Amino acid sequence: MKIERQASRVTVAVLVATVLVTVTTLLLVAFGAWSYRSERDRRMAQLLSGIDVEADQLAVSLALPIWNIDRAQIGKVIEGLDGIPEIESVIVNGAGTTHAMTRNKEWRLVPANAYPTTTGLLIRNRNILFSGERIGSARILATSKFVDAELQGVMLSTMSMIVGVDLLLILVVWLVLWRFVLRPLVTIEKYAVAVSQESAACAAVPTGVGFAAELESVRSSIETMVGLLDARYTELQEEAARRSESEERFRTIFDSVNDAILVYDVETGAIVGVNATTSRMFGYSPEETATLDIGTLSSGVPPYTGAAAMEKIARAMAGEAQFFEWHAKHKDGHLFWTEVNLHIATIGGMRRSIVVVRDITQRKQIEDDLLAEKNFTDTAINAMTGLFFVRNREGKVVRWNRTLGDLLPKTQAERDAEPPLALIHPDDRELVAAKVRAAFTDGYAETEARLNSNEERHFIFNGRRVQIAGEPFLVGTGVEITEQKRLQRELERSAAEWQQTFDTVHTPILVTERDGAIVRVNRAALTLSNLSESEIAGKMIGEIGTVEPWQTAAQLVSYIAGEGSGTVSQTKDADGRTWDLTIEHFRTPGEGSEHFILVLWEITAIIELQESLRRSETMSAMGTLVAGVAHEVRNPLFGISATLDAYYEELSRPDYRECGETLRREVNRLIHLMKELLEYGKPPALTIERGSIAEVVDEAMLSRRLAARAAHVSLKSVANGDVPTLLMDRSRLRQVFENLIDNAVQHSEAGSEVVISHSLVEHAGRSWVEYRVEDSGVGFAAGDLDRVFEPFFTRRDGGTGLGLSIVQRIVQEHSGRISASNRPEGGGIITLLLPIEENPR
């Protein structure tokens, strides 16, 4: 009987413990499953977001290499994803081929010969665009196995926690049942046994309590235990919810994204919270950002100032969406471009401005590079005198140069309605259509056809098939041979007319024997040699002249005749023109005699354009820097000047007069320097109109006459013929001559004169107006002639070194040239050349 009662008590304890542990385990498992699912969703969302960003950046980074068909660079860009382990494979279609890379056993990205399998992978596709046109595609295949591995660790940790809680609960339940249930029941049982044996008088009644009191105690203990468990479970739920919310907010929103996030108190103006990306982007620690404001993180260059940022926040508070680009400043002082998204939110009952910042410096650079590349490409194809076009298989022309654009319909709707073959003469359309089909089939085709116009125009068209993003396109050119056809007919009529046509070529062409004896030349070559046709016939090419380009031409002929390789050379003549010499070897059919054709291409304009581009880039960068410095210095300088004005009376006293005059003189000097700095850094903005340059010079001389008279220097103008009108910015050119006259007067001695003369000259094959400003001073030092126009270079005390730099910049804006030299009798000369239009309207 006693054994049965003990088994009954054990069964009750086990039952109670089992029920509580089961319920608790189910709750913890449900909570763990919910936490696991939430964590998995969060991490998968984070993985997908990161893969989307990498796919976008990959598409932007590949645009320029694919457009340039730079397969090596394409491979390098793809290999740059090797450091992201979640990316398993990358497939890029572009530049006429498919680039595929996948992970090997060492988990490194290596080229793949076949398309990787996509089972169980996350796929992101992106179109690669260039100037709004699709030129390829990129596909990223990502794996979630790293996330799954991390989640398995989380799941094992959760299961361990559940087992530990179960064991702890079993122990606690057992102790509670023993203390408050089983032990009182044993006492009650002993008393009941004593009563049943009719020895109640001998039995010890439980102290202070009776049978009912013990049962009440048992019930109270159980209720207390259940209440404690409920309270503890509620606390665990609230704590888990708070922890989940905190981790979700701070880890996911703040520390997991690639964008900087700042929480800004719109009431106090303080930054109350930042994420880890903010510290990396701006260089400040989280503790340092608490002492900063929005203005500190801005570049400060208008309009990117702290006041402007506050205005953006105010607009956001008014409900106006704020998404804009912003110029920001790093802790070390360097500036960079960002993209800002402003939102207003209520956090903890407080109005906060959520500022999301994305670093777009690289994107801006890529956009600038893409734009520069596109402009370069457009300029190159528009410089072609022939036709250039790219069309797809359906017949739509997707790109063309300006020459073809003049022939195509002006609107897109008209171009879609009228196919490109409509430009071809009706009799030639069937032939051209067949050649187009052949080009798409065989890869290349060429044919001659006429355009459908009032005048008979013959072209040689050739087309080559190219693959862009897996889609075939036809790149075609059309070289007009109308003139050649006419020349061919003329040649058939008479050799004299052929010679006349040969002479119409503006490029000098010479035909020589193997030993260099001249056989035939065109008129351009005769003009260049200053010899008649009878004088030059039979003469050795090296005997034409002792100057260039004839000496280089003779060396080139001798080099090729000696079985040398290479047929191109470049030289510059005494007039400053640059020549590109090309030589070709040929044998006369049927005669077997050897000849060389020597062609002299003048590339002066191309060289000048390249030099001008390099100078413009350098001057632009320096001008931006100088203007920024001038802006920063001007405000405190004006403050000093205003302070001197305020203390004018005190500084006029005899004791302070000399000090005041010195301060005023130095401040005026700095103001003049700031003015020249701002002028030097000001971007070019010309107002071009046709006018008289002679009038501009006269106005400049009149405005500087008083300054010259004060220096006891006279101004003299010397005219050598009439000056034609020019296209110019009148005020800017007047500034040029005022600066040159001031510079000449400052370097002239008292009693001397400054002479301004002009004449019409021929230089580098063009007509120019030449102006010379001469003084009678000491002239330029021989070692300074190459540095005269450098910014901040001066030999004059108190000079800024910017006057002649500004003059050079304005002259270059007018496509002119400027140089410095010395007079034989002493003094300096500044020579200025302004181009005259060949066919002015």
Side-chain angles (χ1 to χ4, degrees), residues 230-292:
D230 288 340
R232 181 56 181 164
Y233 178 72
T234 302
E235 290 177 359
L236 288 174
Q237 279 189 322
E238 292 175 351
E239 182 179 356
R242 287 194 299 271
R243 182 177 301 173
S244 176
E245 179 183 358
S246 176
E247 291 177 354
E248 184 71 18
R249 181 179 61 200
F250 290 100
R251 292 183 183 177
T252 304
I253 299 179
F254 277 15
D255 294 333
S256 299
V257 297
N258 293 325
D259 297 335
I261 301 176
L262 299 91
V263 181
Y264 178 74
D265 190 336
V266 297
E267 300 294 336
T268 63
I271 298 175
V272 298
V274 298
N275 65 344
T277 305
T278 303
S279 299
R280 294 194 300 269
M281 185 178 296
F282 291 93
Y284 295 97
S285 66
E287 294 76 13
E288 290 174 327
T289 57
T291 64
L292 304 177

Side-chain angles (χ1 to χ4, degrees), residues 424-718:
I424 305 299
H425 192 279
D427 296 340
D428 297 337
R429 290 177 187 173
E430 184 176 351
L431 172 63
V432 172
K435 290 295 184 179
V436 169
R437 292 191 295 270
F440 276 108
T441 302
D442 303 331
Y444 180 81
E446 181 176 328
T447 187
E448 180 181 333
R450 293 165 292 173
L451 287 187
N452 189 19
S453 60
N454 296 330
E455 299 179 359
E456 185 176 298
R457 300 179 64 186
H458 293 258
F459 283 81
I460 289 182
F461 293 98
N462 65 75
R464 188 176 300 276
R465 184 191 63 211
V466 297
Q467 294 286 337
I468 301 177
E471 182 180 354
F473 287 87
L474 182 67
V475 178
T477 59
V479 179
E480 185 171 6
I481 59 170
T482 305
E483 183 65 17
Q484 289 89 322
K485 297 286 285 187
R486 186 186 67 80
L487 291 177
Q488 183 178 358
R489 290 191 296 267
E490 295 292 334
L491 285 173
E492 292 173 353
R493 284 194 290 267
S494 77
E497 292 180 358
W498 178 90
Q499 180 65 46
Q500 183 180 0
T501 303
F502 181 57
D503 288 339
T504 61
V505 179
H506 296 296
T507 301
I509 302 175
L510 301 92
V511 180
T512 71
E513 300 281 359
R514 185 179 183 84
D515 59 359
I518 296 174
V519 176
R520 179 174 292 174
V521 298
N522 64 349
R523 184 176 294 116
L526 289 176
T527 303
L528 182 63
S529 66
N530 291 323
L531 297 174
S532 65
E533 189 171 357
S534 59
E535 291 173 335
I536 202 171
K539 185 183 288 291
M540 301 299 293
I541 193 169
E543 299 175 356
I544 297 178
T546 59
V547 296
E548 297 295 350
W550 304 115
Q551 291 303 307
T552 299
Q555 295 174 10
L556 189 59
V557 170
S558 175
Y559 181 67
I560 299 301
E563 303 302 331
S565 61
T567 60
V568 178
S569 182
Q570 193 176 105
T571 186
K572 182 176 288 187
D573 62 16
D575 294 330
R577 293 177 294 183
T578 302
W579 297 90
D580 196 8
L581 282 66
T582 304
I583 189 170
E584 293 290 342
H585 173 272
F586 75 98
R587 293 180 180 271
T588 305
E591 297 180 4
S593 58
E594 288 186 290
H595 292 86
F596 295 133
I597 296 180
L598 182 65
V599 182
L600 285 70
W601 300 92
E602 185 184 356
I603 59 172
T604 306
I606 298 175
I607 298 299
E608 290 178 349
L609 181 61
Q610 293 172 346
E611 294 177 352
S612 175
L613 181 60
R614 287 193 293 269
R615 287 196 302 269
S616 297
E617 292 174 349
T618 302
M619 298 291 281
S620 177
M622 186 176 293
T624 301
L625 175 63
V626 167
V629 172
H631 276 293
E632 292 297 328
V633 175
R634 187 171 57 176
N635 289 337
L637 186 60
F638 286 167
I640 296 173
S641 178
T643 303
L644 289 176
D645 292 339
Y647 285 92
Y648 175 77
E649 295 296 335
E650 288 78 356
L651 294 176
S652 298
R653 292 163 50 187
D655 295 339
Y656 299 106
R657 181 178 295 117
E658 183 178 355
C659 178
E661 291 176 352
T662 300
L663 287 173
R664 175 64 64 185
R665 182 171 58 255
E666 294 303 319
V667 167
N668 289 336
R669 179 187 173 190
L670 287 175
I671 290 174
H672 177 68
L673 174 60
M674 291 305 102
K675 180 179 178 182
E676 290 196 341
L677 284 173
L678 289 174
E679 174 65 28
Y680 180 77
K682 182 170 61 178
L686 302 180
T687 303
I688 300 297
E689 58 182 4
R690 184 173 296 281
S692 171
I693 185 65
E695 294 178 1
V696 171
V697 175
D698 291 340
E699 292 173 2
M701 291 181 63
L702 183 62
S703 67
R704 315 324 289 171
R705 197 170 298 278
L706 290 178
R709 187 178 301 164
H712 303 289
V713 176
S714 61
L715 302 181
K716 179 181 178 181
S717 176
V718 177

Side-chain angles (χ1 to χ4, degrees), residues 132-145:
E133 301 177 6
R134 181 178 181 274
I135 62 173
S137 64
R139 170 178 290 186
I140 291 181
L141 293 83
T143 179
S144 61
K145 67 179 183 180

